[in-house]
Amino acid sequence: MTATETAVTRRFGPLILLNVATLFSSTGNGIVIVVLPWLVLEQTGRASDAAIVAGAATLPLLLSSLFAGTFVDLFGRRRTSLISDCLSALSVAAIPVIATTTGLTVTVIAVLAAIGAAFDPAGIAARESMLPAATKSAGWSLDRMNSLYEANYNVAYLVGPGIGGVLIATVGAVNTLWVAAAGFVLSVATIAFLRLEHAGRPDTATRPTSIWHGTLEGLKFVWHNRLLRTIALVDMAVVALYMPVESVVFPVYFTELDKPAQLGSVLMALSIGGVVGALAYGPLAPFVSRRMLMVVAVTVLGAAMVAMAFLPPLWAILALALLQGLVFGPVGPIANYAMQTRSPEHMRGRVTGVMTSTAYAAGPLGYLLAGPILDKWGIQPTFFVLAIPVLIIGLACFALPVLKELDEKVPVS
């Protein structure tokens, strides 16, 4: 077959549809993240109520992400994505409907936030499970596809909160949720056009026998695969130590300075660095070692966190935040590559779900660690307690021989 004939047989439609659907769905989630706390504060004015709703939206992720991959392998990838976004759209749209009829309470908002959050991981796992087939259809490499997909995902969570903030100011928090629901509906409409190998209902012989049994199979598979187990544990530790800095330490620091705009600029720098880093990975992948990129990413992240712990001037914090996002941007695509090349086709959903659940579990663990330390010792000591272990983990990764497997050529099953 000639190069011209090969190019003709390539199908870019599935690749485009998957990325567009992810952009719509994730932007909807990004809007919701901003709107729900604002809506609660409008209702009661109590920060504690906003925290309750935030917790209600976070806790279901711990269990639903663990079981989500089994739903994907049991019911099929395309169908799971469609159902997940449909249910997310309904749960979000229910809030403005109730607001204009019976009236909202914190309990109602918390329940609907929990329901909506519980549906998201299944849709994410379903779309990620379809990436290898879409990559093959387009004739791309997995590295190139993962680079684009992770950058696209990061862009959604960069623009979503911004859109939410603008709409709150113009049409109000309640009406903004209609736009978020529309994002999920557009994702459904996009996936409805998707036709892709292995996206339909799985064969009876390879489907899990039950949700519980399938999830146990996924856990056992990840644990017994040295590379996946190592990546999951490193990711869990780093997320547990890093997330409190972004979500607790910095907000407290800039609140004490009475400069909330500076907090926004730091988070923006992190996001922009992450998008650029993820996009840069695709062109760099053929020429650099995946292992070296991952090890350097964790080590530089730890070093930058230690430097931030000295609480330097804003310009230095912004530069360090940009550096953190830039070096850590390739980690998502690399982890995706490991999952895609190490998981059998019929178990890809379960493996993706288990690997994702470790990150969701790590966040609350980190908050439990950081909160008491922050209350007792203050901002700077807490920052060092969180930053130094990340640097140690990065240095320890240089001595992990299993990470060399990232550079082995393994065909996708």
Side-chain angles (χ1 to χ4, degrees):
M1 182 178 291
T2 66
T4 302
E5 290 171 331
T6 301
V8 171
T9 61
R10 292 180 178 178
R11 294 174 56 237
F12 289 95
L15 182 152
I16 294 170
L17 291 173
L18 271 178
N19 277 282
V20 170
T22 297
L23 183 63
F24 282 140
S25 181
S26 300
T27 300
N29 277 322
I31 294 172
V32 171
I33 288 171
V34 172
V35 175
L36 290 186
W38 190 284
L39 187 61
V40 173
L41 291 173
E42 281 185 341
Q43 295 284 316
T44 70
R46 293 193 296 268
S48 58
D49 290 336
I52 289 171
V53 171
T58 302
L59 290 177
L61 296 175
L62 302 181
L63 284 177
S64 62
S65 60
L66 184 61
F67 292 100
T70 306
F71 280 97
V72 174
D73 288 342
L74 185 61
F75 299 110
R77 297 164 186 173
R78 181 172 172 273
R79 179 183 298 179
T80 301
S81 179
L82 291 170
I83 293 173
S84 171
D85 280 330
C86 279
L87 294 174
S88 292
L90 289 173
S91 65
V92 171
I95 296 177
V97 169
I98 293 173
T100 55
T101 53
T102 61
L104 288 173
T105 65
V106 173
T107 302
V108 169
I109 297 173
V111 169
L112 292 173
I115 293 172
F119 298 141
D120 291 335
I124 294 170
R127 288 186 290 273
E128 289 189 0
S129 297
M130 289 188 276
L131 286 177
T135 303
K136 180 180 178 182
S137 176
W140 280 19
S141 68
L142 285 174
D143 288 318
R144 186 181 182 187
M145 176 58 158
N146 289 326
S147 172
L148 174 64
Y149 184 82
E150 289 297 318
N152 177 48
Y153 192 80
N154 289 336
V155 165
Y157 278 96
L158 179 62
V159 302
I163 293 173
V166 171
L167 289 175
I168 289 172
T170 54
V171 301
V174 170
N175 288 327
T176 299
L177 289 172
W178 287 116
V179 179
F184 296 115
V185 171
L186 288 171
S187 178
V188 170
T190 304
I191 293 295
F193 289 99
L194 180 66
R195 298 295 182 271
L196 193 63
E197 185 182 12
H198 305 303
R201 189 173 178 85
D203 293 335
T204 304
T206 59
R207 281 190 296 162
T209 56
S210 68
I211 298 297
W212 179 250
H213 185 260
T215 302
L216 285 178
E217 285 182 330
L219 284 166
K220 289 178 181 178
F221 184 89
V222 170
W223 184 255
H224 290 299
N225 185 288
R226 293 193 313 156
L227 179 61
L228 294 181
R229 181 178 69 233
T230 301
I231 291 175
L233 292 175
V234 169
D235 184 51
M236 189 173 185
V238 170
V239 170
L241 292 164
Y242 174 76
M243 284 302 293
V245 172
E246 184 176 320
S247 301
V248 180
V249 177
F250 268 144
V252 171
Y253 175 60
F254 287 108
T255 298
E256 289 185 357
L257 293 178
D258 194 24
K259 294 181 178 178
Q262 292 187 1
L263 172 62
S265 64
V266 171
L267 298 180
M268 182 78 72
L270 283 164
S271 298
I272 292 173
V275 171
V276 174
L279 280 176
Y281 171 72
L284 286 174
F287 309 104
V288 295
S289 160
R290 296 186 192 93
R291 169 188 170 273
M292 189 55 61
L293 275 177
M294 182 170 180
V295 171
V296 168
V298 180
T299 305
V300 173
L301 176 66
M305 287 176 65
V306 170
M308 276 184 169
F310 288 97
L311 302 178
L314 179 62
W315 67 265
I317 292 177
L318 289 173
L320 290 167
L322 188 65
L323 175 63
Q324 286 178 358
L326 190 65
V327 298
F328 215 70
V331 171
I334 291 171
N336 285 351
Y337 175 85
M339 289 187 286
Q340 291 157 356
T341 55
R342 264 65 183 181
S343 59
E345 181 65 49
H346 68 281
M347 287 190 67
R348 188 153 294 138
R350 278 165 282 180
V351 171
T352 301
V354 169
M355 294 288 287
T356 303
S357 68
T358 59
Y360 282 128
L365 290 175
Y367 299 144
L368 290 174
L369 169 70
I373 297 175
L374 191 61
D375 289 336
K376 185 174 182 179
W377 292 342
I379 293 172
Q380 196 166 52
T382 303
F383 216 142
F384 278 113
V385 167
L386 296 171
I388 292 174
V390 176
L391 179 58
I392 293 172
I393 291 170
L395 294 173
C397 284
F398 280 96
L400 295 177
V402 66
L403 293 179
K404 294 179 181 179
E405 294 181 19
L406 286 170
D407 295 312
E408 296 177 359
K409 291 187 177 180
V410 181
V412 180
S413 60

